[in-house]
Amino acid sequence: MNQPPPDHQPYPSQQPHPQPPGWGTPPPEPKKSSAGKIAGIGCLGVVALVVVIGAISAAVGGGTDTSDKGSGAPATTRSVPTPAEKAPAAERKELSQTDQFKAFVAKSGTAAEKAAAKHVTRVQGAGEQNNVLDAAEIHTDYTGGLLGPHGGDGKLLASVFAEWKTSKNGLVTVYDGGGEILANGKF
């Protein structure tokens, strides 16, 4: 029979191939750049400092408000309650902020303001003020948000709130029934 010579194998040799260097060991970890972290934190600190200084200067500076608080409607006469017409302090404390606001509008508001006040469901943040960062909220049963059909009513409520309460740096926000902003204004 024909057999191949003993030095000849029918299959290629099964000798192991050498692996390229670095295949059996994990790659070295990259060097961590602490200079980038330090620069990033430094920039963040500078931005935070500018924001804090801006907030403090806005709170302390106050400035003068030259904006027109009118709603674009013709001016109407109001009856501003005299101190004798105001309820005694003990009676006012028993009323909620919502009831106090509605009573103010009922006594000194225009017909449009009285109609808008009927939709007020809750007033908060009008009790204690520090004249630094006062924030009040008026919640209504209106729908539609800022661009909805009741945005003007929200502005009207913010305007009458500014007549009821005053602050050097106050912001009143009027919300619709779904919690969306209807309007806001300074008070």
Side-chain angles (χ1 to χ4, degrees):
M1 293 216 232
N2 286 338
Q3 287 198 349
D7 60 328
H8 177 44
Q9 295 178 359
Y11 297 104
S13 73
Q14 299 294 327
Q15 294 179 3
H17 295 286
Q19 286 186 346
W23 275 40
T25 60
E29 293 195 23
K31 199 173 198 183
K32 294 185 179 178
S33 168
S34 62
K37 287 181 185 179
I38 292 172
I41 292 172
C43 289
L44 183 64
V46 169
V47 169
L49 182 64
V50 168
V51 169
V52 169
I53 289 173
I56 291 172
S57 66
V60 173
T64 58
D65 184 19
T66 59
S67 66
D68 181 23
K69 286 190 179 181
S71 62
T76 58
T77 58
R78 294 184 183 275
S79 62
V80 178
T82 62
E85 293 175 331
K86 290 185 179 179
E91 185 179 321
R92 278 186 280 139
K93 286 196 176 224
E94 292 176 12
L95 294 175
S96 69
Q97 293 177 13
T98 306
D99 294 334
Q100 290 176 29
F101 178 67
K102 286 183 174 184
F104 173 79
V105 174
K107 183 165 267 199
S108 64
T110 64
E113 291 169 343
K114 290 176 184 178
K118 289 180 182 177
H119 293 275
V120 173
T121 58
R122 182 177 49 170
V123 175
Q124 61 188 67
E128 294 183 22
Q129 298 175 0
N130 60 10
N131 287 330
V132 177
L133 293 174
D134 296 326
E137 297 177 352
I138 300 174
H139 296 268
T140 67
D141 59 2
Y142 288 126
T143 58
L146 189 63
L147 300 175
H150 301 290
D153 295 321
K155 272 297 199 189
L156 192 61
L157 288 170
S159 174
V160 74
F161 186 90
E163 294 172 13
W164 179 49
K165 294 288 184 176
T166 57
S167 171
K168 290 180 181 176
N169 194 23
L171 178 69
V172 60
T173 305
V174 183
Y175 294 96
D176 70 359
E180 293 185 39
I181 295 176
L182 275 179
N184 58 23
K186 293 181 178 181
F187 72 93

